[in-house]
Each structure stands twice: as C-alpha cells, then as structure tokens.
Amino acid sequence: MRAIILITTPGPNEREALRFVQDLDRLRVEAEIVEADSREGIAMRELYDVMATPAVVVAKDDGALVEMWQGSWPQLSEVSYNYHT
C-alpha cells in the first residue's frame, strides 16, 4: 500500500502535511509528500484525476486506487482504515 499526499508549496499546506504525515506514522501508515507541480506530482494528478490540493491518495502497490480525498484533510482514521485493508 502507498499513501501519497499531494500539496502545493510554499504555503500553509506544507506545515499541515508534515504534521499529517507524523500523525499517520503513529498509526503505522507510511506516507510520502509530493509537490503537486513537480514532474512526479503532475503525473500523479493525471493518474488519479486530482483537481484540488491538499489531496491524499491511498493506492495499492501496483498503483490501483483504493481511496482519495481532495480539497481538505481527511480523518486520520479513514486513511488508516483504507491503508490497512
């Protein structure tokens, strides 16, 4: 499983994303932050049809989408549940 957090930087979402990743880490969810306007971020936005940031994507190792939230931060429990199922 992968948890990907897409944000635009600089901005307030950067600090919030770092805090979100720390909170997810306590729930045993490994998450990575990706700049939405980077080459990797643009590819992910296209792949998962992300229209707003922040976006949190939970995907299987093969890239298949499990769940996605965009435009606001989801509940940590929702991300953890989808990551661990």
Side-chain angles (χ1 to χ4, degrees), residues 10-78:
N13 285 334
E14 192 171 7
R15 265 177 278 150
E16 292 172 9
L18 290 171
R19 194 170 322 123
F20 199 76
V21 167
Q22 290 173 344
D23 291 342
L24 287 174
D25 189 53
R26 286 191 265 285
L27 297 172
R28 295 178 292 122
V29 174
E30 294 181 33
E32 66 177 296
I33 298 172
V34 176
E35 163 58 48
D37 294 325
S38 69
R39 182 172 280 178
E40 180 184 13
I42 291 169
M44 287 186 179
R45 286 182 14 218
E46 290 176 2
L47 177 65
Y48 297 114
D49 199 26
V50 173
M51 301 302 224
T53 60
V56 178
V57 175
V58 176
K60 294 181 180 179
D61 290 331
D62 65 0
L65 180 66
V66 174
E67 188 63 70
M68 179 176 59
W69 302 265
Q70 39 183 325
S72 63
W73 297 105
Q75 295 293 315
L76 292 166
S77 59
E78 291 180 281

